Amino acid sequence: MGNNRIYLADWNYDGDRVRLVYSDEEVVFVTKVDFDRAFGAIINAEKHEVIRDFAIKDGEE
């Protein structure tokens, strides 16, 4: 069984948000405050955990 883990491939600041790009090409936005505060947790977490715990939902900013 191969390792098909989706990993954080890139990230960059976008104003007061951070744009996270995953290996499956999905983009997730988190607040810069959360990213700076929980950097280690965010970069090491599974994508679904980042979405659950940190993602900016539609209509939030």
Side-chain angles (χ1 to χ4, degrees), residues 7-43:
Y7 59 89
L8 182 60
D10 192 22
W11 61 269
N12 54 46
Y13 290 108
D14 182 16
D16 61 349
R17 314 180 300 175
V18 178
R19 181 178 185 261
L20 308 175
V21 181
Y22 286 88
S23 59
D24 65 353
E25 300 182 8
E26 183 172 359
V27 174
V28 175
F29 287 95
V30 299
T31 67
K32 184 178 181 305
V33 171
D34 280 346
F35 186 75
D36 291 344
R37 177 183 54 80
F39 177 78
I42 291 172
I43 64 167

Side-chain angles (χ1 to χ4, degrees), residues 38-59:
F39 177 78
I42 291 172
I43 64 167
N44 289 306
E46 298 286 334
K47 182 177 80 170
H48 72 275
E49 294 169 332
V50 172
I51 291 170
R52 180 191 67 209
D53 296 339
F54 299 104
I56 298 172
K57 311 293 188 276
D58 287 339

